[in-house]
Amino acid sequence: FSRIDADHILFFSDSGEVGETAQAPTWKNLKAVKNGSVYCGLNNLQYDMAYTPQGKLLYMEKLVEAILGQKDID
């Protein structure tokens, strides 16, 4: 049981995929997962862009685009 049941999930991994986490019962029961509102991204992209204020702003724009466009973070 999870106490957090978000409408949207931003999921980051080295492969850019949910992987084994997708098999967990808790994961499967989350509202965002059931509604297809999980947006995957790559760890290295997130880390690389987070070093400068401008990079952080650009990355935040990518997150907004992903949620509005219902697509993964590129």
Side-chain angles (χ1 to χ4, degrees):
F1 175 73
S2 176
R3 297 180 101 181
I4 298 172
D5 199 9
D7 293 323
H8 300 275
I9 296 174
L10 304 170
F11 190 93
F12 300 94
S13 65
D14 289 341
S15 67
E17 299 175 357
V18 176
E20 292 179 14
T21 301
Q23 304 309 312
T26 301
W27 176 262
K28 291 178 183 181
N29 287 318
L30 293 172
K31 182 179 3 177
V33 173
K34 290 179 180 178
N35 294 332
S37 298
V38 177
Y39 314 100
C40 295
L42 293 167
N43 282 337
N44 63 340
L45 179 62
Q46 178 189 21
Y47 296 148
D48 291 346
M49 294 187 85
Y51 285 115
T52 66
Q54 185 176 10
K56 289 177 183 177
L57 177 60
L58 289 172
Y59 201 70
M60 290 298 294
E61 290 172 357
K62 285 183 175 290
L63 297 177
V64 170
E65 289 173 13
I67 292 171
L68 294 177
Q70 293 286 305
K71 60 180 186 157
D72 285 337
I73 304 157
D74 55 357

